Amino acid sequence: GAGPGEVVALALPRSLELVTALLAVVKSGAAYLPLDPGYPAERIRAVARDAAPALLVTDAATAPTLPGTGADILVLGEPALEGHLAARPDTDLTDAERAAPLTPGAPAYIIHTSGSTGRPKGVVIPHSNVVRLFETSAGHFAFGPDDVWTLFHSYAFDFSVWEIWGPLLHGGRLVVVPYATSRSPRDFLRLLREEGVTVLNQTPSAFQQLIEADREAGDEDGPLALRYVVFGGEALEPAHLRPWLERHGDASPVLVNMYGITETTVHVTHHRVTRELIEDPRGRSVIGTPLPDLRVYVLDHCLQPVVPGRVGEMYVAGPGLALGYLGRPELTAERFVADPFGAPGERMYRTGDLARRAPDGTLEYAGRSDQQVKIRGFRIEPGEIEAVLVGHPDVARAAVVARESQGAADRILVAYAVPAPGSRPEPAALRAHLAASLPEHMVPSACVVLEALPLTANGKLDTKALPAPDFAAAATGRAPASGSQALVCRLYEELLGLPEGTVGAEDNFFDLGGHSLLATRLMTRLRAATGAEVSMADFFARPTPAALAGRVPAEG
């Protein structure tokens, strides 16, 4: 019964069945709603409640883990379903059989992004937007049926739209990357070689891990088949690519930076990353020029263009804009505003991103105009995390900020909570409360309890006065029982920037400020020191020195 105007939710692991289900929904004319099975139950319930899907497609293994959503459930693999499908014709529905006509302007998918009010917002993208994305970018690429792409990211992340439909629209091959492989740069690098992948799409943070794995592997496993590496999802720091260019150069594969956001259908600009940009001492984050059918304005607070070289806010206009936010007309009107430079009735999207235009017309990313942050490719509204934290009965006020990570150049989220009168909440309990409602990438690395939030003279939050989290206080310091445990404790301390002798054998890597990017570096250092091969899945299951040391073949 799915068709134009309907929403079909998908809760499936990375698999052939996932891609088949996506094709089925799009072919029906309905919009697909991705529900990542790895998200907490409350998050899945909130997204489903917002979109009200008529049907939820899942499989037998995932179905028991899902919360109630109110939608009818279709479980793939059930005998009754298989019999029903076998009896169906393999031809398209006729117009007479459809509940509504199929049009390019009908919604194709709804992807939810973080919302500043504590409620995720659904971005509605029509079918025509995805087709025009590849048509308008064709001049920058030469994609074809011989190309091999990877589905590396979650299909609830809009970068997946480019990853999935790119190969399928060009007749190419799509390699669905198992979740465990996506968390292990060494295994992912091996997959790229074995499958002959030619088009790789990565956030800069994920590619940084791949660079380290590539440098460690050397040329022993043979060359890569890559033709393009496309960056998106977060700001690119060109200098971080130097180790890659030293090994592979900038021509094979071609490196491309593409700025974009969910509300503008994945990509907005294109820029070729060359050795010249890498060596530029100014360290500019160049995002390039708009795709041919889009317009990017850099405007001041009066919606007037700023002169080249000056910073302003980016607005995007053209056929890539979303239909708006699902069921949120006020928010849609606030962010999708009239385009004063376009034809009557045309809209432009206020991105909240700052940029400056160079004399040659290229755009340079210059940060945000609001509190929104990006952590390892994910767009996060601190206000959404704060709303969940204040929902805890022992918390009166809360603030969430992004801080520089200990021992690394990455940023982490830190939550600050003011207790309700008469309460003394434990930071670990507050973090567990957040983890029960928010996706992994939105859970702060630490929760700090304060008597009051520091304020400036103007009564605003004084972020500079917020204390850094004391991760050392979370360590037990319990003495390691073997040389192998002592080695792993020392590696934890080096990576996390903790004093020598701080980490105990049973301390949790993530409670000490670790995150997935640092976990990858930990595996690399452990392998170099001991030769031990530990999968990321095993490490995430029990991330303690004692558990890791048990997998080391000989004491270090």
Side-chain angles (χ1 to χ4, degrees):
E6 298 279 358
V7 177
V8 175
L10 302 177
L12 292 164
R14 301 175 187 223
S15 58
L16 173 63
E17 288 73 24
L18 168 62
V19 180
T20 305
L22 289 169
L23 280 164
V25 176
V26 169
K27 198 173 182 64
S28 77
Y32 69 84
L33 177 74
L35 300 176
D36 191 319
Y39 283 1
E42 183 52 42
R43 181 72 171 195
I44 292 174
R45 188 181 293 111
V47 169
R49 184 168 55 240
D50 185 63
L55 184 69
L56 189 156
V57 180
T58 186
D59 60 15
T62 306
T65 69
L66 298 175
T69 63
D72 291 337
I73 298 178
L74 187 148
V75 180
L76 301 181
E78 288 189 341
L81 173 62
E82 295 300 314
H84 173 73
L85 293 177
R88 298 291 298 167
D90 58 3
T91 54
D92 287 342
L93 293 175
T94 66
D95 288 340
E97 291 175 305
R98 296 186 186 279
L102 253 179
T103 64
Y109 64 84
I110 301 169
I111 284 182
H112 282 72
T113 65
S114 183
S116 59
T117 62
R119 172 185 166 194
K121 52 186 184 290
V123 182
V124 185
I125 301 291
H127 291 259
S128 57
N129 279 28
V130 180
V131 176
R132 55 122 314 252
L133 170 64
F134 290 99
E135 289 178 341
T136 194
S137 60
H140 295 301
F141 301 97
F143 299 142
D146 295 329
D147 278 314
V148 181
W149 301 52
T150 56
L151 173 56
F152 176 87
H153 302 91
S154 166
Y155 71 117
F157 182 26
D158 76 315
F159 211 169
S160 68
V161 173
W162 174 264
E163 292 184 292
I164 294 168
W165 303 112
L168 299 185
L169 285 171
H170 291 91
R173 180 157 61 91
L174 175 62
V175 177
V176 181
V177 181
Y179 178 74
T181 302
S182 73
R183 303 296 287 264
S184 172
R186 186 180 178 89
D187 292 339
F188 183 50
L189 183 66
R190 187 178 299 115
L191 178 144
L192 295 179
R193 284 194 169 94
E194 291 175 351
E195 296 291 346
V197 173
T198 62
V199 182
L200 176 62
N201 307 283
Q202 293 272 274
T203 63
S205 294
F207 193 68
Q208 197 64 33
Q209 301 177 59
L210 195 66
I211 289 176
E212 294 184 17
D214 176 67
R215 183 165 49 183
E216 180 187 356
D219 298 320
E220 60 188 37
D221 296 325
L224 292 163
L226 291 174
R227 297 200 308 123
Y228 298 103
V229 177
V230 179
F231 300 110
E234 63 183 336
L236 174 68
E237 298 294 339
H240 292 171
L241 299 179
R242 185 173 285 110
W244 177 271
L245 262 69
E246 289 174 352
R247 281 182 44 75
H248 301 283
D250 62 2
S252 182
V254 172
L255 306 179
V256 177
N257 190 25
M258 298 188 79
Y259 161 85
I261 34 193
T262 308
E263 289 87 344
T264 56
T265 315
V266 191
H267 295 311
V268 171
T269 66
H270 173 281
H271 189 72
R272 171 83 180 271
V273 181
T274 62
R275 189 178 298 277
E276 181 182 6
L277 179 62
I278 303 298
E279 301 298 337
D280 189 335
R282 292 172 292 178
R284 300 176 300 153
S285 183
V286 181
I287 57 177
T289 54
L291 296 176
D293 64 346
L294 298 179
R295 304 182 300 279
V296 175
Y297 310 121
V298 182
L299 309 178
D300 61 18
H301 66 283
C302 296
L303 297 185
Q304 294 300 307
V306 300
V307 298
R310 296 290 296 273
V311 173
E313 185 173 353
M314 281 193 288
Y315 290 74
V316 179
L321 268 59
L323 297 175
Y325 296 114
L326 183 68
R328 308 280 287 275
E330 299 85 359
L331 184 59
T332 298
E334 177 186 327
R335 305 300 298 189
F336 295 84
V337 298
D339 180 2
F341 313 102
E346 286 195 295
R347 305 174 303 154
M348 60 182 185
Y349 175 70
R350 181 181 182 183
T351 68
D353 288 320
L354 301 176
R356 63 174 63 86
R357 198 181 300 274
D360 64 359
T362 59
L363 294 162
E364 300 172 14
Y365 181 75
R368 290 288 301 177
S369 64
D370 54 19
Q371 300 302 309
Q372 187 184 101
V373 297
K374 280 198 174 182
I375 303 292
R376 294 182 289 282
F378 291 98
R379 192 170 105 189
I380 297 170
E381 293 280 3
E384 182 174 357
I385 306 172
E386 292 166 0
V388 175
L389 188 52
V390 171
H392 191 285
D394 292 338
V395 176
R397 295 188 63 196
V400 175
V401 299
R403 303 184 67 108
E404 294 304 311
S405 173
Q406 299 184 77
D410 318 299
R411 293 201 300 169
I412 59 172
L413 291 171
V414 179
Y416 297 87
V418 176
S423 299
R424 295 173 60 89
E426 289 294 328
L430 296 182
R431 193 163 178 266
H433 169 75
L434 292 169
S437 298
L438 299 170
E440 177 190 351
H441 62 269
M442 293 181 67
V443 179
S445 297
C447 289
V448 180
V449 178
L450 302 175
E451 291 186 5
L453 295 177
L455 303 177
T456 65
N458 295 328
K460 296 182 179 180
L461 178 69
D462 187 353
T463 55
K464 293 182 179 180
L466 289 169
D470 183 9
F471 290 111
T476 64
R478 191 171 301 141
S482 67
S484 296
Q485 289 187 9
L487 168 66
V488 178
C489 287
R490 187 168 70 250
L491 292 178
Y492 274 36
E493 291 162 354
E494 292 173 359
L495 274 171
L496 299 173
L498 298 173
E500 184 177 347
T502 299
V503 177
E506 296 296 338
D507 287 335
N508 187 303
F509 182 77
F510 300 102
D511 290 342
L512 300 178
H515 51 71
S516 57
L517 182 57
L518 286 176
T520 300
R521 295 172 184 167
L522 175 66
M523 295 300 100
T524 299
R525 294 196 185 185
L526 183 67
R527 188 183 306 113
T530 68
E533 290 284 354
V534 180
S535 73
M536 291 297 288
D538 286 344
F539 175 66
F540 275 86
R542 190 156 181 255
T544 66
L548 267 184
R551 301 184 181 96
V552 173
E555 293 197 354

